[in-house]
Amino acid sequence: MANNTDILNTLTEIVAEVAGVDSAQVTTEKSFIDDLDIDSLSMVEITVALEDRFAVKFPDDRIAELKTVGETVSYIAAHR
């Protein structure tokens, strides 16, 4: 089972691949929109990749509520 560090590392890889964000910029306190400049289409791609990788479901209304990298890591850890 993946711990929070493993989840963060995987999320970082996915964000870098989907949105072209430098992996060094992806830290738990960063906001997807404000800090990493990720648009809504890229967020959908990221969440689909996370669903596949971690076998967790992100309800559509929940995706909009996950503002930071850390919130997303916590959500995955709690719902796997």
Side-chain angles (χ1 to χ4, degrees):
M1 179 178 287
N3 61 29
N4 284 9
T5 302
D6 295 333
I7 295 169
L8 176 60
N9 290 339
T10 301
L11 175 56
T12 299
E13 291 171 18
I14 292 170
V15 167
E17 181 180 317
V18 170
V21 174
D22 179 4
S23 58
Q25 297 297 315
V26 183
T27 59
T28 55
E29 68 278 350
K30 295 290 177 117
S31 163
F32 289 109
I33 296 169
D34 297 335
D35 298 322
L36 302 176
D37 199 29
I38 295 175
D39 62 27
S40 59
L41 181 59
S42 293
M43 270 312 292
V44 170
E45 289 182 56
I46 290 166
T47 54
V48 167
L50 291 169
E51 287 176 338
D52 290 344
R53 189 78 60 96
F54 291 108
V56 64
K57 180 71 178 139
F58 289 90
D60 291 339
D61 60 333
R62 190 68 177 118
I63 294 171
E65 295 173 8
L66 296 171
K67 303 288 187 204
T68 68
V69 171
E71 288 173 358
T72 305
V73 169
S74 295
Y75 179 85
I76 293 168
H79 292 90
R80 340 193 21 226

